[in-house]
Amino acid sequence: MRGIVFLAAFIILVIFAIRRPFASVSLWLWSGLFVPFYWIYGFASTISYNSIFAGITILGYFIYRRKPKFRMDKIFFFVILFLIHTTITSYFSLAPSVIVWMSWNNFFKAILLFIFTMLIIRKRHHFNLFLWMIVLSIGFLGFVEGLKFIASGGGHHIKGPSGNILSDNNHMALALCMTMPFIIYLIQETEEKFLKIGLRVLAAICVLAILGTFSRGGLIGLIIVLGYFWLKSQHKIKSIVVIILVGMISYNYLPESWYHRMDTIDTAMQDSSFVTRVNSWKIHTLMALDRPLVGGGFKGPQMGYVWQRLAVNIDKFDFIPTPPPGDKGWAAHSIYFEVLGDQGFPGLFLFLSIIFLSFKKLASIEKFYFDLESKNCWQYRLSKMIKISIMAYCVAGAAVSLAYLELFYAIVSIVVCLDMVMKDDINKINTVD
């Protein structure tokens, strides 16, 4: 029954998206993050909804007559260079080709979404729908998991859908931290009273869901999000009251084991999980030193035979004491070391350049609309929330292997689109003058 209802809704969405590229690219993102087959059964679960929305978007863009004008952009340039570089490193990868090209294919899909988002999204309702799709995918997952956590009295272990990149609890926590700023933005954008209340409830439950993942990186990311939001808020007293209220609710549900795990942040080097991460960072650095231009390719450094060969020289980093790394290969557990080990130093440079340019553009957008005395305009508010989201990714991402996360590149594409909106406004002002 659930599959039939979902299939009927899907048909309606397809009809709606065919003549609206901004809707189809938003649904493309939603279907990639939400993972529909996780929720349905039978025939409906065999359909590749993500591929259908991607196809509609690509076809719709080329036949759409009033498509926005394309402008070359620095971020776009570096993203494409990064894709080209990962293609080159894939040919020289040390991992089995099946694993490498599957990883490259997933990354290519993320970049394809980035490209078409950048080509299509321009208007306020385009941005809002795109962000709603993030909230109705990642936010919905957090809402469901948060309710399970409450219903179980804190006993439910929160993680993402099975078989998805967010199935790991740490990955789920990071994605929720990145989504929180957009929930707050949509609260500001929404005029409907009951919808505002629903979004506020969603935000509170997502905070609880982040804590319920038992992720230390997620906790740090949450502190960054809430702390930055409080500092920039014009209603600091109201904000701190809400934070305290959510904290009190969380206190009643978080088990004692959660506090023990968070306490290990202060004694990280005595925690086996963190020590494994440090060893992995060392191995991925050795991979880059061994092959500085191409690294080991996607997942190359974590292959057992590569890991063992590199571990012989791990004493180069004995100024950071750790036990022997063992023979089993581990993931990088850091977006930075992941790119360094997989793609070498050029790849890390390109990756960091994308992040740096994104922050630089967001700062320019904030300044432009601030100087226009338009602090309450949607462009100004959105640029701040995007900055918080990327900041959460950069901080919490230091402890998880999500350098090729589709959500990150979707958010970066929104930075490019928002920059184009600003340039259009600048041209309008110059034309009037």
Side-chain angles (χ1 to χ4, degrees):
M1 184 63 183
R2 188 192 303 177
I4 295 174
V5 173
F6 188 90
L7 194 58
F10 168 70
I11 294 172
I12 295 172
L13 290 174
V14 167
I15 295 172
F16 177 75
I18 285 176
R19 297 188 63 181
R20 299 171 181 83
F22 77 92
S24 60
V25 76
S26 299
L27 289 166
W28 180 358
L29 173 66
W30 171 82
S31 58
L33 297 175
F34 184 68
V35 198
F37 74 83
Y38 177 74
W39 303 92
I40 53 182
Y41 308 98
F43 172 74
S45 65
T46 63
I47 299 173
S48 178
Y49 300 96
N50 191 242
S51 298
I52 292 173
F53 284 126
I56 292 173
T57 302
I58 296 170
L59 181 61
Y61 174 78
F62 286 111
I63 65 176
Y64 190 60
R65 295 180 180 178
R66 294 176 293 174
K67 60 175 66 72
K69 183 180 179 181
F70 171 75
R71 296 192 188 98
M72 179 54 69
D73 179 87
K74 286 184 181 178
I75 294 180
F76 173 80
F77 178 73
F78 274 91
V79 168
I80 297 304
L81 279 183
F82 191 38
L83 175 64
I84 293 172
H85 181 73
T86 60
T87 305
I88 294 170
T89 62
S90 295
Y91 281 103
F92 296 96
S93 177
L94 298 176
S97 59
V98 174
I99 295 176
V100 173
W101 290 109
M102 184 181 296
S103 299
W104 181 89
N105 184 58
N106 291 334
F107 182 56
F108 174 74
K109 291 177 182 177
I111 301 304
L112 198 61
L113 174 63
F114 164 87
I115 293 171
F116 280 92
T117 301
M118 190 202 75
L119 291 173
I120 293 170
I121 302 295
R122 288 294 183 278
K123 299 180 181 180
R124 183 176 185 172
H125 63 280
H126 295 181
F127 286 93
N128 287 350
L129 180 61
F130 196 81
L131 297 178
W132 268 111
M133 293 302 101
I134 294 176
V135 170
L136 292 177
S137 53
I138 303 298
F140 178 80
L141 293 175
F143 180 76
V144 171
E145 291 296 308
L147 290 180
K148 291 180 181 177
F149 188 75
I150 294 172
S152 66
H156 175 67
H157 182 63
I158 293 178
K159 58 181 181 178
S162 302
N164 184 265
I165 192 172
L166 301 180
S167 60
D168 181 89
N169 65 309
N170 296 295
H171 295 182
M172 184 65 179
L174 174 58
L176 285 170
C177 286
M178 295 173 69
T179 303
M180 281 292 299
F182 301 130
I183 299 176
I184 296 170
Y185 168 77
L186 290 174
I187 292 173
Q188 298 169 339
E189 279 288 286
T190 302
E191 296 181 359
E192 175 60 44
K193 179 180 178 180
F194 291 106
L195 202 53
K196 277 182 176 290
I197 295 173
L199 285 168
R200 290 190 178 110
V201 171
L202 174 63
I205 292 180
C206 282
V207 168
L208 187 60
I210 293 169
L211 298 175
T213 61
F214 280 65
S215 171
R216 289 164 294 190
L219 174 62
I220 295 172
L222 180 61
I223 292 171
I224 294 294
V225 171
L226 296 181
Y228 188 91
F229 176 71
W230 180 79
L231 287 173
K232 295 296 182 178
S233 174
Q234 296 178 352
H235 309 284
K236 287 185 170 55
I237 296 178
K238 184 187 294 185
S239 299
I240 197 66
V241 169
V242 172
I243 291 172
I244 291 174
L245 180 61
V246 174
M248 291 173 63
I249 295 172
S250 301
Y251 178 79
N252 291 324
Y253 284 97
L254 293 173
E256 187 176 348
S257 57
W258 184 89
Y259 296 97
H260 289 319
R261 182 164 177 79
M262 297 307 123
D263 284 342
T264 60
I265 295 176
D266 295 329
T267 57
M269 291 308 294
Q270 300 174 22
D271 180 69
S272 60
S273 176
F274 183 78
V275 170
T276 299
R277 280 176 163 81
V278 176
N279 272 330
S280 186
W281 298 345
K282 290 181 178 181
I283 294 295
H284 280 73
T285 303
L286 287 170
M287 183 78 266
L289 292 173
D290 186 52
R291 307 176 81 194
L293 296 180
V294 296
F298 285 108
K299 301 186 184 299
Q302 59 185 284
M303 295 296 109
Y305 50 89
V306 177
W307 180 282
Q308 294 164 24
R309 178 173 64 83
L310 295 171
V312 174
N313 298 315
I314 203 168
D315 58 353
K316 289 183 178 180
F317 301 107
D318 57 5
F319 55 87
I320 305 176
T322 54
D327 295 332
K328 179 184 177 181
W330 292 88
H333 294 296
S334 166
I335 55 176
Y336 310 108
F337 287 100
E338 181 180 15
V339 174
L340 180 62
D342 288 358
Q343 315 299 340
F345 289 100
L348 181 62
F349 169 76
L350 293 171
F351 180 68
L352 293 177
S353 296
I354 293 168
I355 295 174
F356 171 76
L357 289 172
S358 297
F359 277 119
K360 186 178 179 183
K361 281 189 182 294
L362 290 169
S364 298
I365 294 167
E366 277 192 65
K367 185 178 185 304
F368 173 74
Y369 289 105
F370 181 85
D371 291 343
L372 285 179
E373 298 183 354
S374 302
K375 289 181 66 177
N376 290 323
C377 71
W378 67 272
Q379 296 97 324
Y380 179 81
R381 295 197 305 270
L382 180 55
S383 63
K384 289 202 304 181
M385 294 305 156
I386 295 174
K387 183 184 289 185
I388 301 172
S389 181
I390 296 179
M391 194 179 299
Y393 176 74
C394 292
V395 175
V400 294
S401 302
L402 286 177
Y404 315 110
L405 179 65
E406 182 180 49
L407 177 61
F408 168 67
Y409 294 94
I411 293 171
V412 170
S413 69
I414 289 297
V415 176
V416 178
C417 296
L418 198 57
D419 181 65
M420 291 183 182
V421 170
M422 181 188 72
K423 289 176 180 176
D424 287 339
D425 287 342
I426 292 173
N427 291 335
K428 290 176 183 177
I429 293 172
N430 292 337
T431 300
V432 172
D433 292 341

